[in-house]
């Protein structure tokens, strides 16, 4: 058993979360956090009425009683746990949400649904949450998940078959909610201990399942659940990160092949000085982040060699060389038929779509477009290979060989949105572009205005009310009117 009298990393971190104030956070970090929040909420608006989201919502509404927490985009309310699960399923519902470039986790899908559900639950009991409190708690969450991930070598968890963000995200949600509802350092430690024992996530969900869209929701729901239990006096695992027998890092690092197996000091390294939210990246494409370098390589070749790349029938073979984590995550051989989930996780599919359509946005993943003959003919010419590790998991090299014996190549060190990251204005442009026609322009601009002025909002239910009303589908332009909306 770990020495309870020694100031170990779990305790250090929980004490930091407890003591963190908005004045401790540099203004530029506060500003960036608001733009990241805007992106997360935009992602939820886009995915609220996609087929798999509607399916999950219908099933869960049928099994849950009505409550005080809005289900975004549905004008329905349920209890805090299903609200966190469903709203997270929306944020992560179409592979356009944020990701951390060093320790893969989709922070907004973990943090925002848990915090809004906690706030709505608290308001039902008479406690109002301010925008400043939401902002600070979100930042605490942004710092937690990636730090947990760095303790386990970040993207290496993906290579091992774990859905890394769900493994890292349970503690992330617990810490964020613990901060929001003013838990003590001891209670935050209990909350994280309860959350970590629920951590989960198999990466095989990426190939065809609906549940890939929901797995970050497990972290949001379970982390919220953990914090609410801790608030009621329920105790959790102490020193959960460094406990040698059955501790989080010891257990999840088994069989990692790394030496040392884990890096526990990454949890507290540079707290308050190094801000992990600086490494949160925003996606410009509707596909898994590991596909973005493939997309960029094809787009660059189309621009540099427009004549050669125009006639796709003249392409003999396309080869992508990529890191091990990118290969395992997105380099697997795509086979027909492929669901939207699998298509968005496939480097070959994303590259082929870029070559044919010149874009990789929401419409490329409609059912009617997934099975195009010209697309699958091109996918059949694409091979992904592991490259010698360079330390840059995003780097890729693409080589296109033509029937006439010529070839062209392009190396991408970092995909668009990674280095440099999307600017604040580019995030706003993305929000406006992706949510256009899904909600009225007046509502769209009010959400934008409220989020970017979050510190001035006295009651965040003002923002959640804007999210709660009915939204439309990017596929059909309307919600599924046959959807079993209760009430």
């Amino acid at each position: 058993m770990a020495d309870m009298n020694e100031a170990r990393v779990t305790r250090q971190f929980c004490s930091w979360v407890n003591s963190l104030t908005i004045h401790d956070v540099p203004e530029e970090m506060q500003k960036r956090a608001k733009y990241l929040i805007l992106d997360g909420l935009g992602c939820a608006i886009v995915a609220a009425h996609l087929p798999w989201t509607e399916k999950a919502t219908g099933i869960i509404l049928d099994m849950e009683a009505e409550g005080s927490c809005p289900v975004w985009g549905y004008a329905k309310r349920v209890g805090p746990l299903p609200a966190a699960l469903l709203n997270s399923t929306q944020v992560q519902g179409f592979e356009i949400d944020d990701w951390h470039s060093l320790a893969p986790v989709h922070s907004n899908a973990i943090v925002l649904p848990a915090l809004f559900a906690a706030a709505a639950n608290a308001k039902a009991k008479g406690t109002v949450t301010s925008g400043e409190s939401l902002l600070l708690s979100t930042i605490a969450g942004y710092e937690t998940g990636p730090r947990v991930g760095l303790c386990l070598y970040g993207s290496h968890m993906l290579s091992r078959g774990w859905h890394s963000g769900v493994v890292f995200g349970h503690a992330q949600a617990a810490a964020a909610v613990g901060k929001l509802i003013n838990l003590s350092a001891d209670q935050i430690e209990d909350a994280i201990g309860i959350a970590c024992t629920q951590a989960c996530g198999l990466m095989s969900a990426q190939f065809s399942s609906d549940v890939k869209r929901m797995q970050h929701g497990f972290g949001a729901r379970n982390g919220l659940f953990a914090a609410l239990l801790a608030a009621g006096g329920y105790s959790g695992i102490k020193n959960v990160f460094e406990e040698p027998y059955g501790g989080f890092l010891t257990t999840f690092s088994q069989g990692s092949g790394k030496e040392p197996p884990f890096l526990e000091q990454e949890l507290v390294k540079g707290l308050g000085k190094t801000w992990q939210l600086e490494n949160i990246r925003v996606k410009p494409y509707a596909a898994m982040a590991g596909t973005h370098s493939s997309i960029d390589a094809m787009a660059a070749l189309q621009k540099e060699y427009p004549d050669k790349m125009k006639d796709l029938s003249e392409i003999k073979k396309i080869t992508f060389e990529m890191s091990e984590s990118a290969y395992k995550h997105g380099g697997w051989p795509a086979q027909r038929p492929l669901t939207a989930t699998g298509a968005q996780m496939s480097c070959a599919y994303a590259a082929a779509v870029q070559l044919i359509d010149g874009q990789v946005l929401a419409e490329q993943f409609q059912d009617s477009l997934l099975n195009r003959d010209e697309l699958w003919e091109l996918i059949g010419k694409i091979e992904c290979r592991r490259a010698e590790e360079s330390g840059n998991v995003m780097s890729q090299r693409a080589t296109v060989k033509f029937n006439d014996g010529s070839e062209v190549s392009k190396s991408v060190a970092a995909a668009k949105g990674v280095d440099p990251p999307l600017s604040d204005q580019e995030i706003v442009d993305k929000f406006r572009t992706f949510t256009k026609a899904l909600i009225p322009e007046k509502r769209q601009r009010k959400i934008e205005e409220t989020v970017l002025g979050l510190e001035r909002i006295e009651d965040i239910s003002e923002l959640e009310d804007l999210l709660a009303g009915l939204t439309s589908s990017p596929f059909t332009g309307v919600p599924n009117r046959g959807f079993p909306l209760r009430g």
Side-chain angles (χ1 to χ4, degrees):
M1 185 176 185
D3 183 356
M4 296 293 288
N5 296 317
E6 185 179 351
R8 307 297 293 272
V9 294
T10 305
R11 182 64 186 184
Q12 290 177 50
F13 185 77
C14 294
S15 295
W16 179 80
V17 172
N18 171 256
S19 64
L20 184 67
T21 71
I22 199 68
H23 304 293
D24 297 324
V25 183
E27 287 188 11
E28 63 269 25
M29 295 298 102
Q30 295 182 41
K31 179 184 177 185
R32 184 62 174 178
K34 289 184 285 186
Y35 284 91
L36 293 173
I37 292 169
L38 180 67
D39 184 68
L41 299 181
C43 293
I45 292 169
V46 170
H49 283 279
L50 292 175
W52 42 87
T53 313
E54 290 190 333
K55 186 189 302 182
T57 304
I59 294 167
I60 291 173
L61 285 180
D62 277 347
M63 69 173 71
E64 296 286 349
E66 293 186 11
S68 57
C69 303
V71 178
W72 300 338
Y74 285 84
K76 296 293 171 182
R77 291 177 181 265
V78 290
L81 301 183
L85 178 65
L86 287 174
N87 293 336
S88 173
T89 301
Q90 294 182 22
V91 178
Q92 237 273 291
F94 210 49
E95 292 298 327
I96 57 172
D97 56 326
D98 65 286
W99 61 287
H100 193 276
S101 61
L102 302 178
V105 57
H106 303 287
S107 291
N108 279 329
I110 296 283
V111 173
L112 298 182
L115 289 176
F116 275 99
N121 184 60
K123 185 170 184 180
K125 299 175 181 178
T127 300
V128 171
T129 300
S130 70
E132 183 179 285
S133 180
L134 179 77
L135 178 61
L136 180 62
S137 301
T138 300
I139 292 170
Y142 285 166
E143 293 304 304
T144 304
R147 289 177 174 276
V148 174
L150 289 171
C151 291
L152 291 168
Y153 293 93
S155 61
H156 184 60
M157 291 295 284
L158 283 174
S159 299
R160 296 174 58 210
W162 288 105
H163 195 172
S164 56
V166 193
V167 175
F168 310 157
H170 281 65
Q172 184 174 27
V177 174
K179 184 64 182 175
L180 188 82
I181 62 177
N182 297 313
L183 296 188
S184 67
D186 285 336
Q187 289 174 312
I188 292 172
E189 185 173 7
D190 283 327
I192 289 177
I194 297 168
C196 282
T197 198
Q198 303 174 78
C200 59
L202 298 176
M203 206 56 249
S204 55
Q206 74 175 20
F207 297 117
S208 62
S209 71
D210 288 332
V211 80
K212 166 64 176 65
R213 316 290 189 178
M214 185 181 282
Q215 288 187 169
H216 273 66
F218 300 156
R221 177 196 63 192
N222 297 345
L224 169 64
F225 179 55
L228 295 178
L229 282 175
Y234 203 75
S235 64
I237 301 168
K238 299 295 186 182
N239 296 305
V240 69
F241 290 115
E242 64 271 24
E243 180 62 58
Y245 175 69
F248 183 87
L249 297 180
T250 303
T251 302
F252 274 106
S253 65
Q254 288 184 23
S256 70
K258 294 288 188 179
E259 187 54 46
F262 55 85
L263 306 167
E264 67 181 57
Q265 288 301 318
E266 291 292 332
L267 187 67
V268 294
K269 183 179 178 181
L271 276 175
K273 297 178 182 178
T274 301
W275 296 92
Q276 290 302 323
L277 71 84
E278 289 191 283
N279 295 311
I280 295 176
R281 298 295 185 256
V282 172
K283 295 180 182 178
Y285 308 124
M288 181 267 292
T291 70
H292 288 202
S293 294
S294 306
I295 296 167
D296 282 348
M298 292 298 97
L301 290 174
Q302 286 175 304
K303 184 176 181 180
E304 293 176 25
Y305 306 98
D307 293 335
K308 291 189 74 66
M309 299 296 292
K310 186 175 182 179
D311 187 353
L312 301 181
S313 67
E314 287 301 309
I315 293 176
K316 182 177 182 180
K317 187 173 184 180
I318 301 173
T319 303
F320 289 101
E321 299 168 83
M322 58 188 64
S323 68
E324 181 183 17
S325 61
Y327 175 79
K328 287 188 173 180
H329 202 9
W332 42 274
Q335 295 184 353
R336 189 180 194 177
L338 201 61
T339 66
T341 302
Q344 289 180 298
M345 309 301 291
S346 168
C347 291
Y349 185 96
V353 161
Q354 172 60 38
L355 289 174
I356 293 172
D357 295 344
Q359 63 179 23
V360 186
L361 301 178
E363 51 262 43
Q364 272 66 55
F365 299 96
Q366 298 182 61
D367 284 346
S368 61
L369 298 180
L370 292 175
N371 201 36
R372 290 176 282 173
D373 289 338
E374 61 174 339
L375 179 66
W376 283 97
E377 181 179 350
L378 190 55
I379 290 172
K381 300 177 181 180
I382 297 175
E383 179 185 2
C384 298
R385 300 174 180 171
R386 293 185 184 88
E388 185 176 340
E389 291 293 337
S390 64
N392 180 359
V393 298
M394 290 296 293
S395 65
Q396 289 188 25
R397 179 175 177 82
T399 301
V400 181
K401 295 183 178 181
F402 298 92
N403 292 331
D404 63 7
S406 64
E407 65 178 54
V408 295
S409 295
K410 186 68 179 181
S411 294
V412 175
K416 180 181 178 181
V418 176
D419 187 17
L422 294 190
S423 67
D424 293 345
Q425 185 57 52
E426 286 174 320
I427 293 175
V428 171
D429 292 342
K430 176 189 170 184
F431 173 80
R432 292 174 180 174
T433 299
F434 275 76
T435 61
K436 184 179 181 180
L438 303 184
I439 55 175
E441 183 178 356
K442 181 178 180 181
R443 181 176 165 194
Q444 182 190 52
R445 292 306 171 96
K446 185 63 176 177
I447 292 172
E448 180 183 320
E449 173 188 317
T450 304
V451 172
L452 298 184
L454 197 57
E455 70 280 8
R456 299 188 295 272
I457 304 302
E458 294 183 1
D459 183 352
I460 65 161
S461 63
E462 174 184 335
L463 173 57
E464 192 163 40
D465 287 345
L466 292 167
L467 302 172
L470 204 62
T471 55
S472 295
S473 167
F475 285 179
T476 66
V478 295
N480 179 1
R481 295 300 178 180
F483 177 81
L485 292 175
R486 186 181 61 198

